[in-house]
């Protein structure tokens, strides 16, 4: 069976030829995000002390692109994991993509999709047309007989689409010169300016206790303003704080969650998170004047999706024997690699992720301080659809 590379998000998956191996009431944005959150949770469980960044929407997008080509059990597994209806979610996915990338968004959300196929690969026209209609997916032919040249072209595309944030996604040795048939890529770039910006002169070095218990000094941003804040509780009774930092367009927000008690590990909070949890936060929140201190940070991570997706029930697409992509091509193919890379930068102006006016408030009594000085979770959420564009665990800014 042939080798198909699907790059997710910042992502990548490889499709190989069989020959060579010898041969609920949630929105579609929330359903896809929930699967991505589950991938994130598995990754955090295996790397509890690392900084991890992932795009849940990116995970769902690459699967959504492959779905029109899948048949039988392969298709059923993807639909079940994403909780999409069996008749095909394409109308809703098209609407979601259009909403996320609308020019009306003041915050910059750029989503780009592409299919890089081997010269002469017989990709079904219906599959190509469906992805063009749903995801504005472009199609390009490459000569995979020269893996380094092909990898360079794909990486240049990803770098351009992510404004240089993800300069390299794929390595030449991921491409089999004889068997690679298709590389599917989804890239997401987000740049948002805070609705209430932090003033650089207020950024000071302060203590941050890392996930390993070591204390270091990091640049900590600070502002006195009104924020949405809430206290939430896990099913096990652990309390944690949630703060919402809106971006200037008001359609996208960053949500930060950290345990209320200093001795409660962040890892005890993360398994509880879903889009329903996040929705409950928005209902609990109330506006309050606080002095907020959060670190400036940059984090990037590479996540191998194959193991997590397999553990979540998507197994057949990775099997030489069982993968069924008959609606993608008459030539049998399977997914040999699935990879995502993501990066985030947070500073006084806002967020760049591959993610205004300043209110001066005086109070007679000193407002409470909320200091994010230990490991925390962040999510970047498109509020109208509930889609989680990015999320991450920061153990050390």
């Amino acid at each position: 069976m042939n080798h198909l590379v699907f790059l997710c998000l910042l992502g990548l998956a490889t499709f190989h030829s069989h020959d060579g191996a010898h041969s609920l009431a949630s929105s579609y944005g929330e359903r896809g995000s929930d699967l991505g959150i589950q991938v994130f949770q598995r990754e955090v469980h295996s790397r509890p002390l690392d900084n991890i960044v992932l795009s849940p929407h990116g995970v769902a997008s690459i699967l959504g692109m492959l779905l029109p080509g899948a048949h039988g059990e392969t298709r059923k597994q993807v639909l079940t994991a994403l909780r999409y209806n069996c008749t095909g979610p394409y109308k809703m996915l098209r609407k979601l993509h259009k909403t996320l990338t609308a020019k009306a968004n003041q915050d910059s959300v750029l989503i780009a999709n592409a299919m890089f196929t081997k010269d002469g690969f017989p990709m079904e026209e219906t599959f190509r047309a469906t992805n063009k209609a749903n995801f504005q997916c472009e199609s390009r032919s490459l000569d995979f007989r020269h893996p380094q040249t092909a990898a360079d072209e794909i990486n240049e595309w990803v770098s351009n689409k992510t404004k240089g944030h993800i300069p390299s996604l794929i390595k030449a040795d991921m491409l089999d010169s004889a068997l690679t048939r298709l590389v599917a890529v989804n890239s997401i770039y987000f740049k948002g300016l805070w609705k209430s910006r932090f003033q650089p002169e207020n950024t000071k070095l302060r203590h941050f206790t890392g996930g390993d218990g070591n204390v270091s000094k990091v640049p900590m941003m600070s502002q006195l303003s009104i924020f949405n804040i809430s206290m939430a509780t896990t099913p096990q009774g652990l309390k944690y704080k949630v703060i919402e930092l809106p971006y200037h367009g008001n359609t996208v927000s960053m949500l930060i969650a950290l345990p209320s008690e200093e001795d409660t590990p962040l890892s005890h909070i993360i398994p509880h998170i879903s889009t329903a949890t996040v929705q409950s936060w928005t209902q609990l929140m109330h506006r309050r004047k606080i002095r907020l201190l959060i670190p400036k940070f940059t984090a990037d991570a590479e996540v191998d999706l194959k193991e997590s997706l397999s553990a979540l029930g998507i197994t057949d697409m990775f099997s030489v024997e069982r993968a069924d992509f008959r609606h993608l091509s008459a030539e049998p193919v399977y997914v040999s690699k699935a990879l995502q890379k993501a990066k985030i930068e947070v500073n006084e102006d806002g967020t760049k992720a591959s993610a205004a006016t300043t209110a001066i408030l005086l109070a007679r009594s000193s407002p409470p301080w909320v200091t994010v000085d230990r490991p925390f979770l962040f999510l970047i959420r498109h509020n109208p659809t509930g889609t989680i564009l990015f999320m991450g665990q920061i153990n050390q800014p």
Side-chain angles (χ1 to χ4, degrees):
M1 187 177 252
N2 281 303
H3 174 78
L4 216 158
V5 183
F6 86 63
L7 265 88
C8 172
L9 175 66
L10 328 328
L12 163 83
T14 313
F15 286 82
H16 269 124
S17 157
H18 274 275
D19 307 339
H22 274 354
S23 249
L24 156 114
S26 52
S27 72
Y28 271 84
E30 288 171 319
R31 293 180 201 183
S33 295
D34 272 326
L35 179 66
I37 290 172
Q38 288 176 289
V39 171
F40 174 79
Q41 288 165 333
R42 294 188 63 85
E43 194 68 18
V44 165
H45 181 73
S46 64
R47 298 157 59 191
L49 296 181
D50 289 356
N51 289 344
I52 295 174
V53 188
L54 183 117
S55 170
H57 182 65
V59 174
S61 292
I62 204 73
L63 292 172
M65 289 165 63
L66 295 177
L67 189 58
H71 180 77
E73 187 62 23
T74 300
R75 175 181 170 83
K76 181 181 176 183
Q77 288 176 0
V78 176
L79 287 172
T80 300
L82 288 167
R83 293 186 292 132
Y84 290 167
N85 66 55
C86 60
T87 57
Y90 310 122
K91 182 179 178 182
M92 297 304 299
L93 292 179
R94 187 180 311 149
K95 182 179 179 183
L96 174 63
H97 182 82
K98 187 175 180 181
T99 302
L100 291 176
T101 57
K103 284 185 167 52
N105 285 340
Q106 289 189 54
D107 294 302
S108 177
V109 180
L110 303 177
I111 301 176
N113 303 292
M115 298 279 184
F116 297 91
T117 58
K118 176 193 173 188
D119 288 331
F121 176 65
M123 188 160 69
E124 293 288 345
E125 183 53 39
T126 302
F127 175 77
R128 187 196 310 271
T130 300
N131 272 301
K132 184 172 178 58
N134 294 340
F135 299 107
Q136 285 79 60
C137 184
E138 50 185 288
S139 299
R140 296 191 189 182
S141 294
L142 290 181
D143 185 355
F144 291 117
R145 292 175 300 174
H146 304 287
Q148 187 60 61
T149 302
D152 288 346
E153 287 194 42
I154 292 169
N155 286 332
E156 182 181 7
W157 183 92
V158 172
S159 180
N160 287 338
K161 297 301 183 182
T162 62
K163 302 293 183 74
H165 273 250
I166 309 292
S168 175
L169 174 62
I170 187 172
K171 297 182 177 69
D173 61 9
M174 294 176 181
L175 303 173
D176 187 300
S177 59
L179 301 175
T180 298
R181 295 296 181 266
L182 181 148
V183 177
V185 187
N186 159 251
S187 75
I188 301 178
Y189 174 82
F190 168 73
K191 179 181 179 181
L193 297 175
W194 300 124
K195 186 173 182 181
S196 178
R197 296 190 189 184
F198 293 84
Q199 297 303 311
E201 58 268 24
N202 293 335
T203 298
K204 310 288 184 189
L205 286 176
R206 296 179 185 272
H207 289 111
F208 187 97
T209 303
D212 57 5
N214 292 328
V215 179
S216 59
K217 285 193 170 182
V218 303
M220 194 79 77
M221 306 183 297
S222 170
Q223 70 167 286
L224 174 65
S225 192
I226 295 174
F227 292 96
N228 274 329
I229 189 167
S230 70
M231 187 71 74
T233 309
T234 70
Q236 293 73 35
L238 296 174
K239 295 185 181 301
Y240 60 98
K241 299 172 189 170
V242 181
I243 307 108
E244 179 182 19
L245 285 79
Y247 293 100
H248 81 304
N250 276 333
T251 58
V252 179
S253 295
M254 175 180 281
L255 294 154
I256 290 179
L258 76 161
S260 298
E261 301 298 327
E262 292 186 16
D263 58 354
T264 299
L266 181 64
S267 60
H268 290 186
I269 304 297
I270 289 177
H272 155 68
I273 305 299
S274 68
T275 56
T277 312
V278 177
Q279 183 63 33
S280 74
W281 295 346
T282 64
Q283 295 164 2
L284 290 170
M285 283 185 167
H286 57 280
R287 291 168 58 78
R288 188 170 184 187
K289 187 184 340 179
I290 60 172
R291 166 70 66 180
L292 177 64
L293 291 86
I294 65 170
K296 293 173 63 170
F297 66 93
T298 298
D300 56 72
E302 180 175 308
V303 176
D304 188 334
L305 301 173
K306 183 176 176 180
E307 184 178 343
S308 291
L309 291 176
S310 296
L312 294 168
I314 301 178
T315 56
D316 282 17
M317 69 163 56
F318 300 110
S319 168
V320 179
E321 295 81 16
R322 299 191 304 275
D324 187 347
F325 285 102
R326 68 181 67 179
H327 303 302
L328 189 159
S329 173
E331 184 177 1
V333 294
Y334 76 103
V335 179
S336 67
K337 181 108 182 131
L339 173 72
Q340 184 183 102
K341 282 188 180 179
K343 180 178 181 180
I344 185 165
E345 298 175 16
V346 174
N347 61 23
E348 290 89 352
D349 289 332
T351 300
K352 291 181 185 177
S354 292
T357 57
T358 302
I360 307 299
L361 303 169
L362 302 177
R364 292 185 181 180
S365 57
S366 179
W369 285 44
V370 175
T371 306
V372 182
D373 59 359
R374 54 189 188 280
F376 61 94
L377 172 74
F378 75 83
L379 303 96
I380 296 178
R381 178 179 188 258
H382 182 256
N383 296 318
T385 64
T387 303
I388 307 300
L389 297 172
F390 292 89
M391 69 187 301
Q393 162 183 278
I394 303 299
N395 275 294
Q396 184 59 57

